[in-house]
Amino acid sequence: MPEVAAAHAEVREVLGVPTDRAVFEPLTHNPANGVTAGVWRVTGGDRSAVLKVLTRTQETGVAWSASNDPRHWNFWRREAYVYRTGLAGVWQRHGIRAPRLLECVERPDGDVALWLEDVPGQPATAWPLTGHVDHAHRLGAAQGAVGPGEDAPWLSQSFLRDRTSGKTTGEELLDDDAAWRHPLIRRHFPPGLREDMLRLHLDREWFLTVMEALPRALCHLDQWPANVVSGGPGTSVLLDWAFAGDGALGEDLGAYLPECVLDLFVPAADLPGLAKAAYDAYVHGLRGSGWRGDERLVRLGVCASAVKYDRLTALMLARADEEPVAYGGEGTVPAELRYREGGLALAFLAEWAAEARMLAPLLGFPEAPSGR
């Protein structure tokens, strides 16, 4: 691979070993994302580092293409800026840090090589429920203390709107009788889910408008268990800052919790209890760090985040005849498991959406169109 070949010239400086002693182990990542040429654990002697190569030349689909616009959600150089400016350390005193930047190399071909600390902690994909709750508390403390942060010109804007609007696969199936009669769907999507998800889709613009009017926070915008590692007692290490930017207070938590179930790290049956405990911990963290706003706005931010998963129902309907692929394209997962857990998670998100519709008018927002 050209990315690996180019890295050999950087190994001696980062790891202090001859280039021929370096071992490159590919790490799981999203291969469809056009900004990532690859991610490797590089080992030399008794030292190791993670190499992530940022690019704008990788061929991929339109949905994941790299952008040169610094405000675009997939701006290809953003993560380099996050590390170089020290923004990745902005939450550190509240218990959330990023891997240490060892070296940032501007390569002759235009790519950027990020050499990062190889964090040895346990990934959140294997945490008990209490681990996720503790992370939620740290996240609340961090976002309550730091607030929106400085408006650096390369931080993403309109992430939720652009990501939601750009995912349209299967939208025509949301009210298609045949799609909802598929055996997998009939077995695993609870009664009433069709109406709830169609309503969420029809209300999408309302949800996005609400999210954009809520109190702002510096958000990571890609928080899910595969991007979080234990950093020792009371510390989370947050990976992959490529989407970082402006978001609503509560938006990061509103994405993290469903992802625990949708990617099969937490049983769907545990989601209601986890969501309550994590939300309470997040608010406790906010209050503990000095945030004095109306808690109902935070709750609305979490619940209205359900709009992010408007796309998921349509996607599951469209792919009901395909074998589900695991994250990163590494193997498959049983379709029965994926659709059972996914159906329960979507039903939970429908409850969040319903709560958001009831809460928003109490806070001065217009009623959702479907609620009039």
Side-chain angles (χ1 to χ4, degrees):
M1 267 193 167
E3 297 86 4
V4 171
H8 279 288
E10 301 154 9
V11 168
R12 183 180 291 275
E13 183 173 352
V14 176
L15 297 180
V17 299
T19 57
D20 59 0
R21 290 180 54 192
V23 177
F24 289 77
E25 172 195 354
L27 298 179
T28 302
H29 65 287
N30 179 7
N33 194 336
V35 308
T36 310
V39 185
W40 298 265
R41 174 175 290 110
V42 186
T43 305
D46 60 354
R47 300 178 65 185
S48 65
V50 170
L51 168 63
K52 183 173 186 178
V53 179
L54 311 181
T55 187
R56 56 182 166 182
T57 60
Q58 179 164 291
E59 293 186 10
T60 189
V62 174
W64 285 100
S65 58
S67 174
N68 288 314
D69 177 0
R71 292 300 196 182
H72 189 274
W73 67 268
N74 214 27
F75 173 47
W76 76 279
R77 292 183 63 99
R78 180 173 296 115
E79 197 164 14
Y81 285 120
V82 169
Y83 279 102
R84 278 179 159 174
T85 62
L87 183 72
V90 72
W91 292 340
Q92 185 158 343
R93 68 188 181 93
H94 306 285
I96 297 179
R97 69 177 186 87
R100 290 182 297 112
L101 176 65
L102 305 177
E103 195 72 42
C104 181
V105 181
E106 299 277 348
R107 291 183 170 175
D109 62 2
D111 288 352
V112 178
L114 293 178
W115 288 86
L116 304 168
E117 170 193 7
D118 184 13
V119 182
Q122 183 186 46
T125 56
W127 284 359
L129 297 182
T130 54
H132 302 297
V133 174
D134 290 343
H135 177 70
H137 180 268
R138 292 189 282 273
L139 180 62
Q143 292 184 324
V146 174
E150 67 173 277
D151 188 22
W154 39 263
L155 287 172
S156 67
Q157 288 187 335
S158 302
F159 172 84
L160 187 60
R161 175 177 294 277
D162 292 344
R163 289 292 286 134
T164 303
S165 302
K167 296 284 189 177
T168 59
T169 301
E171 281 187 356
E172 70 283 357
L173 301 177
L174 283 170
D175 201 26
D176 181 273
D177 291 342
W180 286 90
R181 283 197 298 266
H182 190 285
L184 268 178
I185 303 300
R186 284 192 290 107
R187 282 197 296 272
H188 298 303
F189 278 24
L193 188 61
R194 175 177 177 174
E195 292 74 17
D196 288 338
M197 291 297 104
L198 180 60
R199 185 178 182 187
L200 178 62
H201 181 68
L202 295 174
D203 284 348
R204 182 170 67 183
E205 179 59 31
W206 179 86
F207 276 96
L208 292 171
T209 301
V210 167
M211 289 294 289
E212 290 166 350
L214 289 171
R216 311 320 291 163
L218 171 66
C219 290
H220 178 272
L221 298 172
D222 197 16
Q223 293 213 37
W224 64 302
N227 276 343
V228 186
V229 177
S230 173
T235 304
S236 304
V237 182
L238 195 50
L239 315 176
D240 197 352
W241 292 72
F243 301 154
D246 171 71
L249 199 62
E251 184 174 339
D252 270 341
L253 184 65
Y256 183 90
L257 293 170
E259 296 287 356
C260 288
V261 171
L262 293 169
D263 287 290
L264 307 177
F265 303 129
V266 170
D270 291 337
L271 181 55
L274 170 62
K276 183 183 186 311
Y279 174 76
D280 290 345
Y282 181 79
V283 172
H284 188 261
L286 282 173
R287 295 297 192 199
S289 64
W291 188 81
R292 294 293 178 263
D294 188 336
E295 182 195 324
R296 295 177 300 170
L297 293 168
V298 181
R299 184 63 186 173
L300 182 56
V302 171
C303 291
S305 294
V307 71
K308 180 179 180 182
Y309 301 95
D310 163 48
R311 60 181 172 81
L312 184 59
T313 309
L315 190 63
M316 293 183 76
L317 290 170
R319 295 183 176 175
D321 287 320
E322 301 175 15
E323 192 171 23
V325 178
Y327 175 73
E330 296 190 351
T332 60
V333 297
E336 295 289 338
L337 176 64
R338 173 75 81 194
Y339 277 76
R340 184 191 73 215
E341 297 295 281
L344 292 172
L346 289 173
F348 178 84
L349 288 164
E351 294 178 3
W352 265 4
E355 185 175 345
R357 291 188 190 94
M358 290 188 295
L359 187 56
L362 301 178
L363 293 168
F365 293 92
E367 289 187 0
S370 64
R372 292 173 185 164

